[in-house]
Amino acid sequence: QKEVEQNSGPLSVPEGAIASLNCTYSDRGSQSFFWYRQYSGKSPELIMSIYSNGDKEDGRFTAQLNKASQYVSLLIRDSQPSDSATYLCAVVPASGGSYIPTFGRGTSLIVHP
Amino acid sequence: DTGVSQDPRHKITKRGQNVTFRCDPISEHNRLYWYRQTLGQGPEFLTYFQNEAQLEKSRLLSDRFSAERPKGSFSTLEIQRTEQGDSAMYLCATPIGDGMFFGSGTQLSVL
């Protein structure tokens, strides 16, 4: 079982809709969770971090964390065609003592006009 | 204006050749990471440095791979006797807060 699981998609939503991206992780002791956006041919860029259970909002983005269920999600409100990209979930496992973010395979999001 | 410069951006080589990539963080960071990403997958951890010390290596990093960070600033990643399976994007990253800032990467194609 991979440490960080994401549905590869693609997830297709119309412009203006809410896009919901999900991620599950296996290390129950994980404390740090991140969402990255990656445009085709580009490197990943950090868009959100979350550490505590609940919601964290930043503009049109909301990250949600549920440690008991071991999932983290990203909501994108008022989706725009420019949001079309692959969204990567990253988790820092608690085991080992080293700070090494582990990434999921990413979910491809397509926002169509 | 990225905080991490990687060189070259693209590298095409023949199987069996050696290649070396360079990563230059613009500002000083104690930690520096190397990841590899293949099409349709997320970045996979290869190794990381705390200053000059290479603290951890993934089992993905076979003995054909070696990384250095001689003065705690720039880093190099060398692949000896390249194989077609080494074709990937090689990403260098430094911390920003608790997250990571990635360089533009080096796209390696092994023919």
Side-chain angles (χ1 to χ4, degrees):
Chain A
Q1 180 188 2
K2 284 189 64 98
E3 294 180 49
V4 181
E5 298 268 9
Q6 292 183 260
N7 188 321
S8 61
L11 173 66
S12 181
V13 301
E15 184 174 358
I18 296 175
S20 177
L21 304 157
N22 300 310
C23 167
T24 59
Y25 59 94
S26 60
D27 188 329
R28 183 170 289 278
S30 299
Q31 297 294 324
S32 305
F33 307 86
F34 306 91
W35 283 99
Y36 290 78
R37 178 176 60 202
Q38 185 172 27
Y39 292 113
S40 180
K42 302 294 186 182
S43 57
E45 56 177 328
L46 179 67
I47 53 174
M48 290 284 289
S49 61
I50 188 166
Y51 307 101
S52 304
N53 279 329
D55 296 359
K56 179 181 178 182
E57 187 174 317
D58 184 0
R60 295 186 297 111
F61 298 98
T62 299
Q64 300 175 317
L65 175 61
N66 184 322
K67 290 185 178 180
S69 299
Q70 294 175 243
Y71 84 78
V72 56
S73 61
L74 180 70
L75 301 179
I76 306 175
R77 290 182 301 281
D78 188 24
S79 296
Q80 301 296 309
S82 58
D83 294 326
S84 298
T86 295
Y87 289 80
L88 299 161
C89 173
V91 176
V92 179
S95 55
S98 298
Y99 190 90
I100 301 174
T102 300
F103 287 81
R105 66 184 302 178
T107 298
S108 175
L109 173 66
I110 300 171
V111 181
H112 53 87
Chain B
D1 182 39
T2 64
V4 178
S5 175
Q6 289 192 248
D7 184 70
R9 293 291 302 275
H10 303 276
K11 179 70 176 179
I12 300 174
T13 190
K14 292 183 179 179
R15 188 173 49 189
Q17 299 294 304
N18 298 344
V19 294
T20 300
F21 313 138
R22 179 178 171 118
C23 170
D24 273 283
I26 290 178
S27 54
E28 289 189 9
H29 292 282
N30 291 340
R31 284 180 285 141
L32 183 149
Y33 296 74
W34 284 98
Y35 282 81
R36 179 175 71 185
Q37 186 175 24
T38 54
L39 197 63
Q41 301 298 317
E44 295 175 296
F45 169 75
L46 293 179
T47 188
Y48 92 97
F49 292 84
Q50 177 84 23
N51 299 315
E52 307 88 9
Q54 187 174 18
L55 293 190
E56 191 147 341
K57 296 193 292 186
S58 164
R59 62 184 179 279
L60 293 175
L61 215 65
S62 75
D63 56 6
R64 296 186 297 105
F65 288 71
S66 62
E68 294 183 340
R69 195 181 185 200
K71 297 182 180 179
S73 56
F74 74 92
S75 176
T76 59
L77 178 67
E78 180 183 16
I79 309 174
Q80 296 182 327
R81 304 181 303 281
T82 53
E83 301 172 356
Q84 288 185 324
D86 297 331
S87 296
M89 174 77 82
Y90 289 83
L91 294 161
C92 177
T94 56
I96 44 168
D98 283 337
M100 309 289 279
F101 188 99
F102 286 90
S104 298
T106 295
Q107 181 65 54
L108 173 67
S109 298
V110 181
L111 304 179

